[in-house]
Amino acid sequence: MIALLLRDMRLAVRAGGGFGLGLAFFLLVAVLVPLGVGPESATLAKIAPGILWVGALLACLLSLDRIFALDFEDGSLDLLATAPIPLEGAVAVKALAHWAVTGLPLTLAAPVLGILLNLPQAGYGWLVISLALGTPALSVIGAFGAALTVGLKRGGLLLSLLVLPLYVPTLIFGAEVVKRGAEGMATATPLALLAGITAGAAAMLPFAAAAAIRINLR
Amino acid sequence: MIALLLRDMRLAVRAGGGFGLGLAFFLLVAVLVPLGVGPESATLAKIAPGILWVGALLACLLSLDRIFALDFEDGSLDLLATAPIPLEGAVAVKALAHWAVTGLPLTLAAPVLGILLNLPQAGYGWLVISLALGTPALSVIGAFGAALTVGLKRGGLLLSLLVLPLYVPTLIFGAEVVKRGAEGMATATPLALLAGITAGAAAMLPFAAAAAIRINLR
Amino acid sequence: MSFWEYANPQKFMQLSRRVLPFVAVAAGLCLVIGLVWGFFFTPDDYKQGSTVKIFYLHVPAAMMAINAWVMMLVTSLVWLIRRHHVSALAAKAAAPVGLIFTVIALITGALWGQPMWGTWWEWDPRLTSFLILALFYLGYIALWQAIDDPDTAADLTSVLCIVGSVFALLSRYAVNFWNQGLHQGASLSLDKEENVADVFWYPALLCIAGFVLLFVTLVLLRTRTEIRARRLGALLARERRG
Amino acid sequence: MMPDLGKYAGAVLGSYAATIGLIVLLVAVSLWRSAKTKAALAEVEARQGKDNG
Amino acid sequence: MDLTVTDLAVARGGVTVLEGVHFTLSPGRALVLRGPNGIGKTTLLRTVAGLQPPVAGQISAGAEAIAYAAHADGLKATLTVRENLAFWAAVYGVQDVQAAIARMNLSDLADRQAANLSAGQKRRLGLARLLVTGRPVWVLDEPTVSLDIASVALFADVVRGHLAAGGAALIATHIDLGLAEADVLELGPFRARAKTEDPRGFDAAFGGDFA
Amino acid sequence: MDLTVTDLAVARGGVTVLEGVHFTLSPGRALVLRGPNGIGKTTLLRTVAGLQPPVAGQISAGAEAIAYAAHADGLKATLTVRENLAFWAAVYGVQDVQAAIARMNLSDLADRQAANLSAGQKRRLGLARLLVTGRPVWVLDEPTVSLDIASVALFADVVRGHLAAGGAALIATHIDLGLAEADVLELGPFRARAKTEDPRGFDAAFGGDFA
Ligand code: HEM
Ligand SMILES: Nc1ncnc2c1ncn2[C@@H]1O[C@H](COP(=O)(O)OP(=O)(O)OP(=O)(O)O)[C@@H](O)[C@H]1O
Ligand SMILES: Nc1ncnc2c1ncn2[C@@H]1O[C@H](COP(=O)(O)OP(=O)(O)OP(=O)(O)O)[C@@H](O)[C@H]1O
Ligand SMILES: [Mg+2]
Ligand SMILES: [Mg+2]
């Protein structure tokens, strides 16, 4: 399992830089939105928490199809499914690897992008905390969506369609934490709910995803 | 060439619905942003032109890697490069097919999403016009980016990184048209610039893209 | 004969062929009478004016939009646990019907919102969760369509339906948390059942019954089509093999 | 006969038109697909019945 | 441990392609599956490997005794030969990849990225994976595709070594491997008969008379 | 029209893999390239097909005389057999795909999606594409991979027909096709000699003695 984790991370880093690129996309969203919306800092400050969370979510989404599709195409997934590690474990490890190369760097880089979007001072800490708590859920849910679409030729957009509604609660609670934090309000409730979603998703979805993969392979 | 156009469109429609799915992503951005940003309609009305354009751009972006990568992976691109149609023409046709299955439906659906984002009444016409004029540029520029990254194993995010800066002028002028239109101001200048970008890109970039493909193939 | 016998396609075809005409006629009658009664023979509400007539479309459509998803959830579970083909195909048949009902609820709601709230669209929790429900329907239908092998498609869409249901509930809760909203607010005199005057209530009941029956009719008809399509595919494949 | 809908006529009539339109469309599509599949199945069954005895 | 397959029926795309497949594979023996393109060899091997459920019949060996090699090799283009193999070795809990690399004649290429291998070199690497699984029953789908004559001989030798060590192999192939230990199973075309009695089975459900 | 290759050197990944390749292919003749895995057959064929520039030497025929078939078949999984072929036919300005389908024994599968073909069936479809190009020189990279014996014979027959009609074929393969019209070119391992004099060439620029 550790071998799988290392392999997936190594592949992500080698394949034109999984790391850098998730980040880069996040950065580009943070840059494009002010370009599209216009430069007034009051408006930007207001929408910053939401846009940052939406950006993180899209950055995650874009790399989801890597989780299984590459392994499916070159036949590794067949071989993994017949290997002596449980498929549920493999799914969980792959989601973890995905998080390590997208969610984690996004979380660390988010404060810098907060500056671009005029995020109020008080919001920075909450931004990092909410992303740290919420992005693992994005990876796990995404792995489930990727498992559903793995057999389909380049199901990239179908994957987005399936996964985005599933992301809604995470997004709402995550953005809410930052918004409340930025305005100095209490954040305990949305934070607890966010943690709950992450824990629940991590506990249950690998089983659903492994089932979906087995179905897709047969 | 017409055969290529038809084939690409047919493939897009078959592969889990290229049509519907570009649209769906656009819709999802329009839904997610309010969920992240919050429900106040005054804020939403203000950012609507920018967000709609950013959404269209991302929807385009997500499907870019389909333009050449699939053909590269299964060997068709090698065969196309040795076929009796000029590669420049093939590139232009593939960009056109991409526009027909993403840019065009996006343009047609945009007004509905305008409702979700409380776009002011006066903006709807300009939204459609600016997207109709601007999305072809997105497809052509995207085809160029896709040609640059075609040899790379799943260069999806690298592609985004390369292409997004190239999209900036289109985005700025496009969003500006809608913003001015929504506020009842004159739109002639940004509209002319937008048309200029599209015309220039469509005239020049297929050659650059074909050259990039030839280099990537050898 | 156990209830599960009807999950056999042949039995289902026989039974549904007998039942379908009656349900269809009943659905038509209820809908026509309910809507005509509601549209032509009820007074305007003192507060909402004639827009109260939208009630007869909006509420039944909204109810059935949710109920259709619940029915899909149940049939998906039945398919996963007992592997009855009819169950999976019924879920497939119901999805577009549910989607259309959701869209009807959204459109009528939007048209109602313009006079009542002064806006087509408002990010009210109820409306928002309906929009999300529509997305779930879209994803579910798209997944069915994207997969060639019918059993694989049935399995995967069932898994999606179950996971999706959990997340749909979560979203509902999240959306409530996010915005308190206008819907159900004091602007509606019809909100509580005891406030609903009988003049409005009887045609509304008929309309609700009509929508339920229409749903049953359409699901039966479409399930029959799906079963035939499935058999057609199997026969053709067998023919190709010679 | 036609009730007076007042200033809300657009909203009310629009709702009825949209709803009835969508339902009719759904019913029509369902019936059309039903007829098409039925015919195709009958054709194949007849053909195979002949071949296989 | 024997691999016994009894009255197996396998399906692809919802259509049964082979039926009544019967064989026993004892340690030290190989079984070569032959049959024209599209007869269902791949489908049969995937079923035996546990990737898809049989329509009917039994397979005695558990999937955990089987090492499966498919048409595709499962190589990662950006990893080197050694890294590719080391990953599978770790998955199967084996330490040493050097022996497998040497055995498949890949020593010179050990630090080359898989993307830069020729078709036959890739295939050799794919086959080297079998040596690090440590599993007794090899299930191989056209293993010699793209291999030159010397490599085919090398591979036959590797299989012989595996059999001599008490392993077994089930091989679908169109060419002659020159294995003395091998029995041959010719797969013939299957004619559809609605034989399955399971009331929830497809035939009973959709194949009968319709109203 | 003859295809003449003179003193050709080809490179892959910046490394020259073959040098001094020389041959002439006349209408009605086939040339079979043989050589161990990794010797550079694929690289040579891609160069001849015009997909990559030669390091040195000349190729007389223009790329527009050549129909190339690679390791990969270029099939679209979601299109049917007929649609796949019709596309290439339209690209090459040919109308009739029926003949090609019949010739490669694909008539029964004509309306099947390519995704649902077996490995050998896919390959047959890939080869059927050659018949709709109408081009005189076929350049084929291991065309018989995955084909069963009957299909190999069928394919050899198709090549024979092509040669009889005045075509030519350059075929890299590890098996014996049984073509009477074929000459064989054995590719031997290339020993690096800094022969190229082009100052912009790689060897001259970086391969010589360094200060
Ligand atoms: C797009 C917009 C709308 C959507 C998606 C929507 C959705 C819903 C839903 C889900 C229900 C619940 C049905 C049930 O109880 O099972 C409902 C009921 C109702 N809606 Fe809406 N609604 C929308 C707009 C409106 C508007 C603008 C009004 C009027 C001002 C309205 C008035 C009502 C009323 C009176 C009920 C019945 C309340 C009850 O039974 O408790 N809706 N709607
Ligand atoms: N969806 C489907 N519907 C009907 N038949 C299918 C479907 N998918 C595959 N088939 C057929 O199933 C058969 C078995 O395919 P399989 O890949 O097992 O053959 P194979 O013996 O491995 O052939 P090869 O030697 O060419 O690899 C083929 O004839 C194939 O065309
Ligand atoms: N980037 C690279 N650097 C060095 N050598 C490379 C690189 N890429 C490929 N090669 C080598 O180039 C040689 C030629 O490969 P090619 O694919 O042409 O061989 P081939 O004769 O077609 O072999 P096969 O019969 O296995 O298909 C191989 O030995 C390969 O390992
Ligand atoms: Mg096979
Ligand atoms: Mg080769």
Side-chain angles (χ1 to χ4, degrees), chain F residues 8 11 51 118 210:
Chain F
L8 191 70
L51 284 167
S118 79
F210 256 45

Side-chain angles (χ1 to χ4, degrees), chain A residues 21 24 28 32 35-37 40 43 46-47 50 58 62 65-66 70 73 154 157-158 161 164 171 175, chain B residues 21 24 28 32 36-37 40 43 46-47 50 58 62 65-66 70 73 154 157-158 161 164 168 171 175 179:
Chain A
L21 288 170
L28 285 163
L32 285 182
L35 286 178
V37 167
E40 303 103 60
T43 316
K46 199 152 180 193
I47 64 173
L58 294 176
L62 272 187
D65 62 341
R66 287 170 172 242
L70 289 179
E73 277 161 27
R154 199 59 57 107
L157 278 173
L158 175 61
L161 181 61
L164 274 178
L171 169 65
Chain B
L21 290 169
L28 287 163
L32 286 180
V37 166
E40 301 103 61
T43 317
K46 201 153 180 192
I47 63 174
L58 294 176
L62 270 188
D65 62 342
R66 286 170 173 240
L70 288 179
E73 278 161 27
R154 199 59 57 105
L157 277 172
L158 174 60
L161 187 59
L164 273 177
V168 167
L171 169 66
K179 228 182 310 172

Side-chain angles (χ1 to χ4, degrees), chain C residues 146-193:
Chain C
I147 304 170
D148 295 327
D149 182 61
D151 279 354
T152 306
D155 282 337
L156 292 177
T157 50
S158 299
V159 174
L160 175 68
C161 185
I162 291 163
V163 173
S165 303
V166 175
F167 277 85
L169 276 180
L170 264 177
S171 314
R172 181 67 229 258
Y173 185 72
V175 160
N176 258 328
F177 181 85
W178 166 76
N179 185 12
Q180 306 315 324
L182 300 163
H183 201 282
Q184 287 178 301
S187 74
L188 305 178
S189 62
L190 288 165
D191 212 36
K192 297 206 174 58
E193 226 183 272

